[in-house]
Amino acid sequence: MQRDQRLCGSRSMAGRNKTKADVSWPLEERPGYLIRRLHQIHVALFQEKCAAYEITPLQYSLLTALAKRGTADQTALAQDIALDRTTTTGALKRLQARGFVDRSIGPHDRRSRTCRLTRSGAALLRKIERPARAAHLATIADLSKADQKRFIAMMQAIVAAQGQRLDATRSPD
């Protein structure tokens, strides 16, 4: 408990006052802050390398997931890329408006939408693959090859371990 109080900024520990500097947890040591910064850096690199295609990393993920599945409903695609259905639906609508995705009413449930990649979407995915891969590699380029592999493995381990927690707490839209 005392450790938690210290980390959360409690000014009193074991009966004595601490200065703000004594109890502060520097941003550059916080995993959440570093993950958010790394995400910002990756998005900037992706936008820089893929600017000609006017596509976001989220949309790229959706196109990739859809290419792998062939056809899929929006709920399955949301699960594939670990996003809520509302955000996924909005991104799919934008991709549909640009002619990269077809969305049709589901055959068994009129509330669902079945999606598939159009020829234009498949062509875009082929064109963007090299610059998108370059953005992903640039994100971790400052690490040695061995550290890159370890970093990816550590992220995969965290996602695998914590992903079930998120899935269990995510509300069904």
Side-chain angles (χ1 to χ4, degrees):
M1 172 100 169
Q2 285 183 346
R3 181 175 177 269
D4 291 335
Q5 288 174 334
R6 182 175 48 84
L7 293 176
C8 291
S10 172
R11 294 190 60 86
S12 174
M13 189 166 110
R16 62 184 187 135
N17 286 339
K18 294 280 188 175
T19 65
K20 200 172 197 175
D22 290 337
V23 296
S24 179
W25 189 12
L27 285 173
E28 56 279 353
E29 294 177 11
R30 298 178 192 176
Y33 169 78
L34 293 169
I35 291 165
R36 183 179 60 80
R37 283 293 296 132
L38 187 56
H39 179 258
Q40 290 172 327
I41 290 164
H42 172 69
V43 169
L45 287 166
F46 188 93
Q47 289 173 341
E48 175 187 308
K49 301 211 179 282
C50 301
Y53 304 100
E54 298 179 359
I55 200 107
T56 67
L58 167 67
Q59 292 170 336
Y60 174 64
S61 293
L62 277 169
L63 292 174
T64 302
L66 198 48
K68 181 179 177 181
R69 281 187 173 266
T71 60
D73 64 54
Q74 293 175 168
T75 302
L77 290 171
Q79 290 171 346
D80 286 350
I81 63 169
L83 272 182
D84 63 276
R85 284 193 326 223
T86 302
T87 302
T88 302
T89 298
L92 286 167
K93 285 179 179 179
R94 287 185 287 283
L95 289 168
Q96 180 185 25
R98 294 181 61 194
F100 299 136
V101 170
D102 275 338
R103 294 170 61 242
S104 57
I105 295 172
H108 305 295
D109 182 353
R110 295 193 52 78
R111 296 171 296 168
S112 73
R113 296 288 180 265
T114 301
C115 304
R116 72 170 184 80
L117 211 52
T118 64
R119 285 186 183 173
S120 296
L124 171 68
L125 200 51
R126 284 190 301 276
K127 290 177 194 172
I128 200 172
E129 181 62 33
R130 182 171 283 151
R133 183 178 297 260
H136 283 276
L137 294 174
T139 302
I140 57 173
D142 293 320
L143 300 175
S144 70
K145 295 292 181 195
D147 283 346
Q148 288 177 18
K149 287 181 181 182
R150 277 193 292 276
F151 183 63
I152 297 293
M154 286 187 283
M155 288 190 297
Q156 289 170 332
I158 292 168
V159 168
Q162 298 291 330
Q164 290 177 334
R165 175 179 296 167
L166 180 60
D167 292 343
T169 60
R170 185 178 293 147
S171 63
D173 292 302

